[in-house]
Amino acid sequence: MLNKVMPTLEEAVAGIEDGATVLIGGFGPSGVPTQLLQALLAKGARDLTVVNNNAGNGEAGLSQLIRAGRVRKMICSFARSSNPKKPNAEAFADWYRAGKIELEVVPQGTLAERLRAAGAGIGPFYTPTSFGTRLAEGKESREFNGRGFVLEQPLHGDVAFVCAQKADAQGNLMYRYASRNFGPVMCMAARMTVVEVGEVVPVGSLPPEHVMTPGIFVQRVVEVRDERA
């Protein structure tokens, strides 16, 4: 049996190179693999392209990488909070205003579909989302049956960081409620998936119908006791 459990966070992020494209699970604060991000910060990786739903949540995790100057480009759906009284991506805002970080805004459904396309081996696809807007500038647009569509590209990652509630040693994953969010499609879209998991359980103890990401899409698992997982 292939054992994918890594003994430490340091070993879980080993080998991630400068310039990598990193897919980070999470929807707001739900399902963010914060401790993997802090391990990546300690490792020293830089010049990263990060794909996440948000451009940070608070000061921990992704915001720490941005503050440290490790992120070259951010690809996300929400670059700032919808509530100006509770800003959650201040690190990104500071660096963006200073011209130190690139931004690519992708509508949320398009972001998920670009990841799914990458994981499923699908090529570029047309979507009506963003047609006629600034987000469509520079992209091929066509009309089908009188409706405008924009051509979008699959979004691949070198590595994906996701957070799961339980995993077995073979990398089969079960998520907790909304923390599932982008996890399954990011695991499929990356060449290597590293999972921060609240509990490693014996192989065979996860009911097959509860496995939301099969182990074939996971290469490394590290147990981190965290009630959020």
Side-chain angles (χ1 to χ4, degrees):
M1 182 188 78
L2 183 62
N3 185 358
K4 301 178 181 178
V5 178
M6 310 300 290
T8 66
L9 284 162
E10 181 181 12
E11 290 172 84
V13 302
I16 297 175
E17 300 179 347
D18 294 351
T21 296
V22 184
L23 314 179
I24 301 173
F27 188 100
S30 179
V32 177
T34 302
Q35 298 198 45
L36 281 175
L37 294 172
Q38 292 173 338
L40 187 62
L41 175 67
K43 179 186 177 300
R46 58 185 64 250
D47 196 31
L48 303 171
T49 295
V50 169
V51 181
N52 186 228
N53 189 58
N54 303 77
N57 289 284
E59 290 299 320
L62 176 55
S63 292
Q64 291 175 286
L65 282 172
I66 293 173
R67 286 261 185 237
R70 306 290 178 78
V71 181
R72 178 183 61 81
K73 181 177 180 179
M74 189 73 229
I75 301 175
C76 66
S77 296
F78 297 96
R80 65 178 183 177
S81 171
S82 57
N83 183 353
K85 295 182 179 179
K86 294 182 178 179
N88 57 3
E90 290 184 285
F92 171 80
D94 292 343
W95 279 72
Y96 184 74
R97 292 189 187 105
K100 296 179 179 178
I101 190 169
E102 299 175 41
L103 171 63
E104 179 181 345
V105 176
V106 181
Q108 193 174 65
T110 302
L111 182 69
E113 188 65 4
R114 287 181 63 188
L115 291 163
R116 191 191 73 84
I122 298 172
F125 60 92
Y126 285 100
T127 173
T129 305
S130 82
F131 178 80
T133 73
R134 290 179 60 189
L135 296 182
E137 292 178 358
K139 299 177 182 176
E140 180 184 327
S141 296
R142 294 182 64 180
E143 283 193 7
F144 298 98
N145 299 320
R147 190 178 186 189
F149 288 79
V150 178
L151 187 66
E152 295 284 357
Q153 302 293 324
L155 185 52
H156 298 268
D158 295 305
V159 60
F161 285 172
V162 303
C163 184
Q165 182 184 29
K166 295 182 180 180
D168 63 24
Q170 295 181 339
N172 296 299
L173 306 182
M174 188 175 80
Y175 304 91
R176 182 178 186 273
Y177 302 121
S179 64
R180 176 178 181 176
N181 56 76
F182 290 89
V185 289
M186 287 187 168
C187 290
M188 294 175 64
R191 289 191 293 183
M192 180 176 75
T193 294
V194 186
V195 182
E196 176 180 317
V197 63
E199 181 182 7
V200 175
V201 298
V203 173
S205 65
L206 292 176
E209 67 272 22
H210 292 178
V211 173
M212 301 160 189
T213 293
I216 192 172
F217 297 114
V218 174
Q219 285 67 49
R220 298 177 181 177
V221 172
V222 61
E223 187 176 55
V224 176
R225 293 292 178 179
D226 188 336
E227 294 182 353
R228 297 170 308 156

